Each structure stands twice: as structure tokens, then as C-alpha cells.
Amino acid sequence: MVGLRIKTVEMIFIILLSINSLFGNGRSSSSSSLEALAFSWPCTLTSLTRKRNNPHSTIHGLLLRSTHDVSDPTTTTTTLTTTTTGSQTIRSLRQVTSIQQFARLPIWPVWSGVLLFLTSRLFGPSIASNLEDHLGGRVCPNFFDAAQTSPFVLMVHHRHSFSNLDPIRFLQRSFFPEGFPSHPHRGFVTVTYCLKGGMIHRDSLGIKQSYGAESRHAGAHVQWLTAGAGIQHEEMWDVAKNGGEVWWSDQELFQIWLNLPKEYKMVRPRVELLRRHCVVEGHCGVIPEGTTPIIQQQDGIITTVVCGEYNGIQATVDCPTNATILRVQFTQHSSRKRTWKYSLPKQHETAILYIRKGSVNIGSERIPAHHTAYLSREGDDLIIECEGEADVLLLSGEPLREPIASKGSMVMNTEREIEEAYFDFQRGFMGIPWSEKLSDTEWIEHVKKNPSRY
């Protein structure tokens, strides 16, 4: 039954590829697109081998537009002069080196994704992005070149919606589950950051979790899953009825794949939830364990620290990789320019911005919604300017400077280690896959009968 289910899902993705070939610009190869889709649904297509190109110079994966190369940061340097007592400190600024827009694929609901594509073509991407924020219906895998964006492997932006009045939904879910059935991981961390709705998690360790952005989730909005030596998990959309006969469930999240150093790739797997903890800038006090500080700043700017540090406020999650994940929200309508500044750790050569909503400026470069910007590897500070509303995800980190090999849902250092990971999975060392249709009692019994070695 598991094999049949996977084959069915493979057929669905072939259909999606056909849609993408019709709606895209025709420059993405089928193999690269199918490979990127494996990260949107990691339980499928795990036999594909990655073939990466430099995202700073070429078209690859599900890239919708060619890379926009900005002036060479080695020849164009912007400096910031700060006056201190009796002296001046000259600090350099990070600049944009390239901008990409990855394809947005129609799913959950498909009809909405198709409508958004047509809207983008007829009325422009700005109107389509605003409409997507209200309707949902698309997923956007940002398929990084991990050799260039280490320690970050992948970022996927999901925006979906479910309604009991959608007849296509009931037909679709008869063969296409609403979520991600059980699938294995090894060698990295998945960070699932819910912005709307939520997820229901079950895994091979016998752990069940419900987390998300709704009041029923009690502030648990981020799941930090360290796959380590190996884990299987199932993530299904938490589509809860809001009351009444007619209801609509909005879902939105980022999932980030964060690589682990070699010495941590085979640690014991663990999964934890991180809860919201709101603080006022300058009055943060002690940050409780297991929380993400959400800093209320002046001018209606909110900074959420998922991991790493911002302005001396440190996230509490234990992360062996030297990385920072920040969300910056410019929340108030304003006719004047507002500025957000961040001093990056010196080791953080990698810095990536994804614009969820609105548009921002870094220096003279404007970055519109649903675009990904890569920053120069040198520089002390990042300054983001915004007029109006915007929502930005910032990923920065120290490159691991280790070999990387990945295939499907495993991220290791060598191809041999990848083969060993799948061999261990096939031998049941990570437990045995289960159907998402199992009740909690049936799932627990299944896990007890087929325990994970890790």
C-alpha cells in the first residue's frame, strides 16, 4: 500500500510538472523541477540525485526568471561611518549580488493557483502576490545551491487554503493527501515556521505534536526537528473547523533545511516546539527556554528571532550550526521611509533574503515580493529600507566548508553516506512508514511494533 501511495503521488507531481511547463517560461528542465518538488513533498521521488548550478549566475531548478546580477561587490563598496569618542569607526554594508524569482506551483487549492498564475500574466505579479496573500493556492521551493548558500540547503514557502465548499478539494484528497505522509530524514535540521494555520506531527519516535499560528496552538508556532541519525515523520495540515456550516482554513509556513556539521549528523534525533515570547526593545529581561523572542521595535517594526541573535537578544534553541533565522515585519502603513539595521556576525558569509510581502530596498536595489536576494559575503551591517508594509525572512550563517551530498530527503557529506542512509531506511532502522489514515491508537501500535533504532 505504501508503494502504491508513493506511485500515485509521483503521478500527481508529473501532472504538476505539466502545469508548470504550460504556465512557466519553458526554461526549467523537468528533472530539476521534479527534484525541487521532492523537497515540497519529501516522501516521494527520493531516488533523484541533485545536480546543482550556482544560483548567483545561472538558471536552475524551478527558477522562474533569470538571475539578476548586481554590480560586483568587490568593486563597489558602501561604507557607514560611525563617530565614537575621539575617533571614527568605518563599517561596510552588505550589498545585493543577485536576485531570483523561483516558480510558484499551484496546489491546495489547485484552482486558486491557476487563477493566481493568470492574474500574474494579465495584471502583473504585484497584484497576484497580494491576491495570493488572501486566497492561497501556491507553493514555492527555493532550491539553493548548498555549496554556495551553506549552511542552508532549502527554503520552501507554502501558502494554501482549505474550504468545505470546494468540490475539487474533496475529489483531490481522495488520492492526494492534505499534507506530507510519513517520510525519512537524516543529517540535517528542518525548521517549520507557521505564519497561518498549523500542522499535526507524528513520528517514528512515537511523538505527536500540534503547532501553528492559531490560538489553539498556545503560541507553539515553530517546530525544530533535528533529524540526526534518522527519523520518519508525518506532517499534515491542521485544518480545524472554525465553527458554523461554512468555514475556510488559511495555511502558510516557511520550511527551512539547515545543514548540520559532520560530527552532528548522526546524533540522536529530537523534535521540539518553540513558543512565541514577545518583548519590547530595550526591556527584554530573561528569555525563557524553548521560545522565539519577538521584538517590538519603534516605527511598527517587529523582529522575530527563530535562531541566532539580534541586537543582543539571543534565541534559546540549541543549534550546533552557526546560523541566524530572522523574520522582519514592517507592519504599519507609512508614507515615510523606515530603516531596519542588523550587524551580522563576522563568520556569517552567507546571507539570503526572501520577501514574503511588500518590497524593500538594500542600497539602490529594490527587491519585490516573492523574490530571493543573495547578499555579498563581506560586510559588517545590513540595512533594509521600506516604505509601507513588508515581510522579510533573513537567513545568515557561517559556511560549513565540508563536502555535501544530498538525495531526496537525506543530506550527508558523501554519496556513500547517502546510500547508507537509504539502506538503513529500507532495513527499518528508522521505523516503518505508516498510512496517514491511521488513527492515533493505530499509529502508536504501529510504532511499537516497528520501533526506530535511533
Coordinates of all heavy atoms in Angstrom, one line a residue, residues 54-103:
N54 N 25.2 27.2 -9.8 CA 25.3 28.4 -9.0 C 24.2 29.3 -9.1 O 23.9 29.8 -10.2 CB 26.6 29.1 -9.4 CG 27.0 30.2 -8.4 OD1 26.1 30.7 -7.7 ND2 28.2 30.7 -8.5
P55 N 23.4 29.5 -8.1 CA 22.2 30.4 -8.2 C 22.6 31.8 -8.5 O 21.7 32.6 -8.8 CB 21.5 30.2 -6.9 CG 22.5 29.9 -5.9 CD 23.5 29.1 -6.7
H56 N 23.8 32.2 -8.2 CA 24.2 33.5 -8.4 C 24.5 33.8 -9.9 O 24.8 35.0 -10.3 CB 25.5 33.8 -7.6 CG 25.3 33.6 -6.1 ND1 25.0 34.7 -5.3 CD2 25.2 32.5 -5.4 CE1 24.8 34.2 -4.1 NE2 25.0 32.9 -4.1
S57 N 24.5 32.8 -10.8 CA 24.9 33.1 -12.2 C 24.1 32.3 -13.2 O 24.2 32.6 -14.4 CB 26.4 32.7 -12.4 OG 26.6 31.4 -12.1
T58 N 23.3 31.3 -12.8 CA 22.6 30.5 -13.8 C 21.1 30.3 -13.5 O 20.7 30.5 -12.3 CB 23.3 29.2 -14.0 OG1 23.3 28.5 -12.7 CG2 24.7 29.4 -14.5
I59 N 20.4 29.7 -14.4 CA 19.0 29.3 -14.2 C 19.1 27.8 -13.8 O 19.8 27.0 -14.4 CB 18.2 29.5 -15.5 CG1 18.2 31.0 -15.9 CG2 16.8 29.0 -15.4 CD1 17.6 31.2 -17.2
H60 N 18.3 27.5 -12.8 CA 18.3 26.1 -12.4 C 17.0 25.8 -11.7 O 16.2 26.7 -11.3 CB 19.4 25.8 -11.5 CG 19.3 26.4 -10.1 ND1 19.4 27.7 -9.9 CD2 19.0 25.8 -8.9 CE1 19.2 28.0 -8.6 NE2 19.0 26.8 -8.0
G61 N 16.7 24.5 -11.5 CA 15.5 24.1 -10.7 C 14.3 24.7 -11.2 O 13.9 24.6 -12.4
L62 N 13.5 25.3 -10.3 CA 12.2 25.9 -10.7 C 12.4 27.5 -10.7 O 11.5 28.2 -10.3 CB 11.2 25.5 -9.7 CG 10.7 24.1 -9.8 CD1 9.8 23.7 -8.7 CD2 10.1 23.8 -11.1
L63 N 13.5 27.9 -11.2 CA 13.7 29.4 -11.3 C 12.8 29.9 -12.4 O 12.8 29.5 -13.5 CB 15.2 29.6 -11.7 CG 15.6 31.1 -11.8 CD1 15.3 31.8 -10.5 CD2 17.1 31.2 -12.1
L64 N 12.0 30.9 -12.0 CA 11.1 31.5 -13.0 C 11.7 32.6 -13.9 O 11.4 32.7 -15.0 CB 9.9 32.0 -12.2 CG 8.7 32.5 -13.1 CD1 8.1 31.4 -13.9 CD2 7.6 33.1 -12.2
R65 N 12.6 33.3 -13.3 CA 13.2 34.4 -14.0 C 14.7 34.2 -13.9 O 15.2 33.7 -12.9 CB 12.9 35.8 -13.5 CG 11.4 36.1 -13.7 CD 11.1 37.5 -13.2 NE 9.7 37.9 -13.3 CZ 9.2 39.0 -12.9 NH1 10.0 39.9 -12.4 NH2 7.9 39.3 -13.1
S66 N 15.5 34.7 -14.9 CA 16.9 34.5 -14.8 C 17.5 35.4 -13.7 O 16.9 36.4 -13.3 CB 17.5 34.9 -16.2 OG 17.2 36.3 -16.5
T67 N 18.6 35.0 -13.3 CA 19.3 35.7 -12.2 C 19.6 37.2 -12.6 O 20.0 37.4 -13.7 CB 20.6 35.0 -11.8 OG1 20.3 33.7 -11.4 CG2 21.3 35.7 -10.6
H68 N 19.3 38.1 -11.7 CA 19.6 39.5 -11.9 C 20.9 39.8 -11.2 O 21.0 39.8 -10.0 CB 18.5 40.4 -11.4 CG 18.9 41.8 -11.3 ND1 19.4 42.5 -12.4 CD2 18.8 42.8 -10.3 CE1 19.6 43.8 -12.1 NE2 19.2 43.9 -10.9
D69 N 22.0 39.9 -11.9 CA 23.3 40.1 -11.3 C 23.5 41.6 -11.1 O 23.3 42.4 -12.0 CB 24.5 39.6 -12.2 CG 24.5 38.1 -12.3 OD1 24.3 37.4 -11.3 OD2 24.6 37.5 -13.4
V70 N 23.9 41.9 -9.8 CA 24.1 43.3 -9.5 C 25.6 43.6 -9.5 O 26.4 42.7 -9.7 CB 23.5 43.5 -8.0 CG1 23.6 45.0 -7.6 CG2 22.1 43.0 -8.0
S71 N 25.9 44.8 -9.5 CA 27.3 45.2 -9.6 C 28.2 44.4 -8.6 O 27.8 44.1 -7.5 CB 27.5 46.7 -9.3 OG 26.9 47.0 -8.1
D72 N 29.4 44.1 -9.0 CA 30.4 43.3 -8.3 C 30.7 43.9 -6.9 O 31.2 45.1 -6.9 CB 31.6 43.2 -9.1 CG 32.6 42.2 -8.5 OD1 32.4 41.8 -7.3 OD2 33.6 41.9 -9.1
P73 N 30.4 43.3 -5.8 CA 30.6 43.8 -4.5 C 32.0 44.1 -4.2 O 32.4 44.8 -3.3 CB 30.0 42.8 -3.5 CG 30.0 41.5 -4.3 CD 29.8 41.9 -5.7
T74 N 32.9 43.4 -5.0 CA 34.4 43.6 -4.7 C 34.9 44.9 -5.3 O 35.9 45.5 -4.9 CB 35.2 42.5 -5.3 OG1 35.0 42.5 -6.7 CG2 34.8 41.2 -4.7
T75 N 34.1 45.5 -6.2 CA 34.5 46.8 -6.8 C 33.6 47.9 -6.4 O 34.0 49.1 -6.6 CB 34.5 46.7 -8.4 OG1 33.1 46.3 -8.8 CG2 35.4 45.6 -8.9
T76 N 32.4 47.6 -5.8 CA 31.6 48.7 -5.4 C 31.3 48.4 -3.9 O 30.7 47.5 -3.5 CB 30.2 48.6 -6.1 OG1 30.4 48.8 -7.5 CG2 29.3 49.8 -5.6
T77 N 31.8 49.3 -3.0 CA 31.8 49.2 -1.6 C 31.0 50.3 -1.0 O 31.4 51.5 -1.3 CB 33.2 49.0 -1.0 OG1 33.9 48.0 -1.6 CG2 33.1 48.8 0.5
T78 N 30.0 50.1 -0.2 CA 29.3 51.1 0.6 C 29.8 51.1 2.0 O 29.9 50.0 2.6 CB 27.8 50.9 0.5 OG1 27.4 50.9 -0.9 CG2 27.1 52.0 1.2
T79 N 30.1 52.2 2.5 CA 30.6 52.3 3.9 C 29.7 53.1 4.8 O 29.0 54.0 4.3 CB 32.0 52.8 4.0 OG1 32.0 54.2 3.4 CG2 33.0 52.0 3.2
L80 N 29.7 52.8 6.0 CA 28.9 53.5 7.0 C 29.9 54.0 8.1 O 30.6 53.2 8.7 CB 27.9 52.6 7.7 CG 27.0 53.2 8.8 CD1 26.1 54.2 8.2 CD2 26.2 52.1 9.5
T81 N 30.0 55.3 8.3 CA 30.9 55.9 9.2 C 30.2 56.2 10.5 O 29.2 57.0 10.5 CB 31.5 57.2 8.6 OG1 32.2 56.9 7.4 CG2 32.6 57.8 9.6
T82 N 30.7 55.7 11.6 CA 30.1 55.9 12.9 C 31.1 56.7 13.8 O 32.3 56.2 13.9 CB 29.8 54.6 13.6 OG1 28.9 53.9 12.8 CG2 29.1 54.8 14.9
T83 N 30.7 57.8 14.4 CA 31.6 58.6 15.2 C 31.6 58.1 16.6 O 30.5 57.9 17.2 CB 31.2 60.0 15.1 OG1 31.2 60.5 13.8 CG2 32.2 60.9 16.0
T84 N 32.7 57.7 17.1 CA 32.8 57.3 18.5 C 33.7 58.4 19.2 O 34.2 59.3 18.6 CB 33.5 55.9 18.7 OG1 34.8 56.0 18.0 CG2 32.7 54.9 18.0
T85 N 33.9 58.2 20.5 CA 34.6 59.2 21.3 C 36.0 59.3 20.8 O 36.8 58.4 20.9 CB 34.6 58.8 22.8 OG1 33.3 58.6 23.2 CG2 35.3 59.9 23.6
G86 N 36.3 60.5 20.2 CA 37.7 60.8 19.7 C 38.1 60.0 18.5 O 39.3 60.1 18.1
S87 N 37.2 59.3 17.8 CA 37.6 58.5 16.6 C 36.4 58.2 15.8 O 35.3 58.5 16.1 CB 38.3 57.2 17.0 OG 37.4 56.4 17.7
Q88 N 36.7 57.7 14.6 CA 35.6 57.3 13.7 C 35.8 55.8 13.4 O 36.9 55.3 13.2 CB 35.7 58.1 12.4 CG 35.2 59.5 12.5 CD 35.1 60.2 11.2 OE1 35.8 59.8 10.3 NE2 34.2 61.2 11.1
T89 N 34.7 55.1 13.4 CA 34.7 53.7 13.0 C 34.0 53.5 11.6 O 32.9 53.9 11.5 CB 33.9 52.8 14.0 OG1 34.5 53.0 15.3 CG2 34.0 51.3 13.7
I90 N 34.7 52.9 10.7 CA 34.2 52.7 9.4 C 33.7 51.3 9.2 O 34.5 50.4 9.4 CB 35.2 53.1 8.3 CG1 35.6 54.6 8.4 CG2 34.7 52.8 6.9 CD1 36.7 55.0 7.4
R91 N 32.4 51.1 8.9 CA 31.9 49.8 8.8 C 31.3 49.6 7.4 O 30.7 50.6 6.8 CB 30.8 49.5 9.8 CG 31.2 49.6 11.3 CD 30.1 49.5 12.3 NE 29.4 48.2 12.1 CZ 29.8 47.1 12.7 NH1 30.9 47.1 13.5 NH2 29.2 45.9 12.6
S92 N 31.5 48.5 6.8 CA 31.0 48.2 5.4 C 29.6 47.6 5.5 O 29.2 47.0 6.5 CB 32.0 47.3 4.7 OG 32.1 46.1 5.3
L93 N 28.8 47.8 4.4 CA 27.5 47.3 4.3 C 27.4 46.1 3.4 O 28.1 46.1 2.3 CB 26.5 48.4 3.9 CG 26.4 49.7 4.8 CD1 25.5 50.7 4.1 CD2 26.0 49.3 6.1
R94 N 26.5 45.2 3.7 CA 26.2 44.1 2.8 C 25.4 44.7 1.6 O 24.5 45.5 1.8 CB 25.4 43.0 3.5 CG 26.2 42.2 4.6 CD 27.2 41.3 4.0 NE 28.0 40.7 5.0 CZ 27.8 39.4 5.3 NH1 26.9 38.6 4.6 NH2 28.5 38.8 6.3
Q95 N 25.7 44.2 0.4 CA 25.1 44.6 -0.8 C 24.4 43.4 -1.5 O 24.8 42.2 -1.3 CB 26.1 45.2 -1.8 CG 26.8 46.5 -1.2 CD 25.8 47.6 -0.9 OE1 25.0 48.0 -1.8 NE2 25.9 48.2 0.3
V96 N 23.4 43.7 -2.3 CA 22.8 42.6 -3.1 C 23.7 42.2 -4.3 O 24.1 43.1 -5.0 CB 21.4 43.1 -3.6 CG1 20.8 42.0 -4.5 CG2 20.5 43.4 -2.5
T97 N 23.9 40.9 -4.4 CA 24.7 40.4 -5.6 C 23.9 39.8 -6.7 O 24.3 39.9 -7.8 CB 25.8 39.4 -5.1 OG1 25.1 38.3 -4.5 CG2 26.8 40.0 -4.1
S98 N 22.7 39.3 -6.3 CA 21.8 38.7 -7.3 C 20.5 38.5 -6.7 O 20.3 38.4 -5.5 CB 22.4 37.4 -7.9 OG 22.4 36.4 -6.9
I99 N 19.5 38.5 -7.6 CA 18.1 38.4 -7.2 C 17.4 37.3 -8.1 O 17.7 37.3 -9.3 CB 17.3 39.7 -7.4 CG1 17.9 40.8 -6.5 CG2 15.8 39.5 -7.0 CD1 17.3 42.1 -6.7
Q100 N 16.7 36.4 -7.5 CA 16.0 35.3 -8.2 C 14.5 35.3 -7.8 O 14.1 35.7 -6.7 CB 16.6 34.0 -7.9 CG 17.9 33.7 -8.4 CD 18.4 32.3 -8.1 OE1 18.1 31.8 -7.1 NE2 19.1 31.7 -9.0
Q101 N 13.7 34.8 -8.8 CA 12.3 34.5 -8.5 C 12.1 33.1 -8.9 O 12.2 32.7 -10.1 CB 11.4 35.4 -9.3 CG 9.9 35.1 -8.9 CD 8.9 36.0 -9.7 OE1 9.3 36.5 -10.8 NE2 7.7 36.1 -9.2
F102 N 11.8 32.2 -7.9 CA 11.5 30.8 -8.2 C 10.0 30.6 -8.5 O 9.2 31.4 -8.1 CB 11.9 30.0 -7.0 CG 13.3 29.9 -6.7 CD1 14.0 30.9 -5.9 CD2 14.1 28.9 -7.1 CE1 15.3 30.8 -5.7 CE2 15.4 28.8 -6.9 CZ 16.1 29.8 -6.1
A103 N 9.7 29.6 -9.3 CA 8.4 29.3 -9.7 C 7.5 29.0 -8.6 O 7.9 28.4 -7.6 CB 8.4 28.1 -10.7

